[in-house]
Amino acid sequence: MKQMLILVVISMLAGPLFAEEAVLIDFSKLKADIHVRVGDSDTSGKLNQNRQTMMDYGHVAGGSFTTQQKAVMKTSLAIENWEIVLSSSSRTVQSITLSFTREAPSKQFDTVMGVRVNFPTEPFNSHAFIRPPFEIPAFEPSATISDDGTISPAGDGIIGKSRFESQEDGQPAYGVVKNVGVLKSVAVNVYGLNFPHGLTALLIDSTGNERNIFMGYLLFDGWGELIWNNPAYVTEVRNRDIRLYPLYPTSTPFIKFGGFIVHRDAAKAGGDFVCYFKDVKVIYDLAVLDTDRDIDDESIWNIIYDRETARKVWEMEKFGQNQVLRYLESQKQATELPFGHPDREQQ
């Protein structure tokens, strides 16, 4: 039987023997490939959601919604669902309206995520968060998703691979990489247009801590790879500080993608900013090694199963509350064209 042997290394130090490389998130895999209705009047058939990352928050909406309303409470990590949130000093009606994400055709990568941010032109520092529409869940069950977005879970999805996790066959993750000990290096494949703005990658660990990693500046033309190498990473094993902890029960540590931050300096020109993202890759040390052990502890006690089940339920409740509020706001929004609009007579 197999069991986990945990090598815990403090102070962000680790040896190179067990380093792995993975694609944390690949935006070319997030293009819209299915149509999910947003209301009874939606008959457009336009592709608007990403099949693999579909999430259904209808079951956490409460009892005051009809079955028809709950049926459309679905969303995904489709590129055009991502959010641009500017700093409070830069948040105006114009900047909010002119800041959004779009699918961008690429000759080299098929589809990538395009980002437009409308920064203020006044001389003060500003920044913009590029975030997924919901915090990417680490324990979402594997599932089959139909063409209308209906999610059918496959198995319990708690022990083993989840839908957003990197796979053993080398396929990129949809925002989650598990069994991460210490980060050695992070790389962002980004298309620059000679803007002097800085870029930070946001990573969230299994304890919920968000880490901001400054990747560099976008002052270049075309595709480039911004790289961060951990300055505290020690390759010599004898120089590591190692501690031993109990082998069971311990959940596997992970990291998940939290988004980007674009920094605009007060001394630089403001206005519209545009760039494109292909993927985020990580090199890391393994935290867990599989070894042959005489007793399968988890099959007896189910401690990790119970713990991760509770964590999954908490993730879903947190995700669903925000999405329900957005759904309510969308239902209250006026759909009529403004007075004086040339197409108003045809509406």
Side-chain angles (χ1 to χ4, degrees), residues 52-308:
Q52 175 65 23
T53 60
M54 281 298 303
M55 293 288 286
D56 185 345
Y57 55 95
H59 64 278
V60 297
S64 59
F65 298 94
T66 66
T67 303
Q68 290 77 12
Q69 288 175 323
K70 290 183 178 181
V72 299
M73 291 184 178
K74 299 173 183 176
T75 189
S76 70
L77 292 182
I79 290 174
E80 298 193 5
N81 287 345
W82 287 58
E83 304 170 342
I84 308 294
V85 181
L86 288 105
S87 53
S88 58
S89 60
S90 306
R91 205 173 300 153
T92 65
V93 173
Q94 174 178 297
S95 66
I96 294 174
T97 303
L98 298 179
S99 300
F100 49 84
T101 58
R102 286 289 183 269
E103 289 187 4
S106 167
K107 295 179 180 178
Q108 185 173 348
F109 299 117
D110 185 26
T111 300
V112 295
M113 182 170 76
V115 174
R116 176 186 178 182
V117 180
N118 185 254
F119 283 115
T121 56
E122 292 77 14
F124 57 85
N125 294 333
S126 181
H127 61 267
F129 291 89
I130 306 168
R131 290 191 178 276
F134 51 87
E135 183 174 324
I136 300 174
F139 303 105
E140 180 62 19
S142 299
T144 301
I145 295 89
S146 65
D147 291 339
D148 64 353
T150 301
I151 301 171
S152 302
D156 55 47
I158 302 299
I159 301 301
K161 297 289 183 180
S162 66
R163 275 204 288 137
F164 294 83
E165 183 183 349
S166 60
Q167 305 300 311
E168 295 178 353
D169 57 3
Q171 291 297 314
Y174 289 84
V176 178
V177 173
K178 292 190 177 180
N179 200 10
V180 176
V182 177
L183 281 177
K184 182 177 182 180
S185 186
V186 179
V188 177
N189 199 359
V190 56
Y191 190 97
L193 292 168
N194 286 331
F195 284 96
H197 304 327
L199 180 68
T200 292
L202 305 178
L203 302 181
I204 303 172
D205 64 21
S206 52
T207 63
N209 294 322
E210 185 176 84
R211 182 173 181 184
N212 297 359
I213 300 177
F214 184 72
M215 302 301 303
Y217 293 92
L218 299 169
L219 195 58
F220 56 87
D221 180 22
W223 288 106
E225 195 170 57
L226 296 180
I227 298 174
W228 172 84
N229 292 314
N230 186 354
Y233 190 90
V234 175
T235 58
E236 190 62 48
V237 175
R238 71 189 70 184
N239 294 330
R240 295 181 296 160
D241 189 1
I242 302 176
R243 292 183 182 180
L244 294 179
Y245 285 86
L247 301 180
Y248 181 85
T250 304
S251 299
T252 305
F254 61 84
I255 58 170
K256 56 185 176 181
F257 184 65
F260 295 111
I261 305 177
V262 178
H263 308 269
R264 177 250 172 170
D265 189 90
K268 306 301 181 181
D272 285 320
F273 158 79
V274 172
C275 73
Y276 305 90
F277 295 100
K278 166 58 172 65
D279 57 35
V280 179
K281 295 179 289 187
V282 292
I283 298 177
Y284 59 96
D285 289 341
L286 295 177
V288 177
L289 297 179
D290 288 332
T291 58
D292 290 325
R293 299 183 61 80
D294 180 55
I295 298 176
D296 185 353
D297 304 289
E298 179 62 18
S299 65
I300 300 173
W301 308 109
N302 292 322
I303 298 176
I304 295 178
Y305 179 90
D306 294 340
R307 184 182 299 167
E308 296 196 354

